[in-house]
Amino acid sequence: MGKEPVSEQFFIDKLAASKDHFERALDCKHTEFDDLYPYMLEHPQFFWYKRYVAWSELLTVVSLCEELTFSWKELFTTQQVAYLDSRVMSATVLDFWFEKNDSKEHAQR
């Protein structure tokens, strides 16, 4: 019995999960990364590293979607697509990923 080919929907679902993971890391909310390194929670650099790992994961899935010519940009705002296209996790990305930081959606996460 052979394996099914991986579908575009599979990658889009993974992309949505990676986006959520990155956004939870930005908000300093719990992610599975916290479970992997519980002893690190006491170190100030942990949150920077957690964000870096989540950003790298997001870039990896975006890169795969690009390579496979899957539509991925619809999951993001225009500004977020620009950040992802630049591939650099800068202070601007960290500060302005959520274009409307006071929105109800952001506050309820």
Side-chain angles (χ1 to χ4, degrees):
M1 189 187 292
K3 293 186 179 187
E4 300 273 333
V6 179
S7 68
E8 181 172 357
Q9 189 59 51
F10 171 84
F11 278 94
I12 298 306
D13 291 346
K14 291 296 180 187
L15 182 61
S18 294
K19 180 181 185 234
D20 183 59
H21 182 209
F22 178 66
E23 290 176 349
R24 290 185 64 78
L26 281 179
D27 282 343
C28 297
K29 299 216 172 151
H30 185 271
T31 68
E32 61 187 44
F33 191 75
D34 297 291
D35 298 333
L36 292 172
Y37 301 101
Y39 58 89
M40 289 293 293
L41 290 173
E42 299 166 11
H43 298 280
Q45 62 271 59
F46 173 74
F47 292 103
W48 180 89
Y49 188 67
K50 177 178 170 173
R51 291 174 183 145
Y52 172 78
V53 168
W55 179 249
S56 296
E57 175 188 335
L58 184 56
L59 288 178
T60 299
V61 179
V62 164
S63 179
L64 288 169
C65 287
E66 285 277 325
E67 190 173 333
L68 296 166
T69 63
F70 293 155
S71 294
W72 61 272
K73 295 180 180 181
E74 294 79 17
L75 270 70
F76 300 91
T77 66
T78 303
Q79 190 60 49
Q80 290 170 341
V81 170
Y83 295 147
L84 290 162
D85 284 342
S86 74
R87 303 190 56 83
V88 177
M89 187 182 69
S90 65
T92 303
V93 173
L94 297 175
D95 291 341
F96 299 108
W97 179 262
F98 299 107
E99 293 177 25
K100 298 177 184 175
N101 283 330
D102 60 345
S103 72
K104 289 181 182 178
E105 177 187 350
H106 178 66
Q108 293 174 350
R109 287 177 176 244

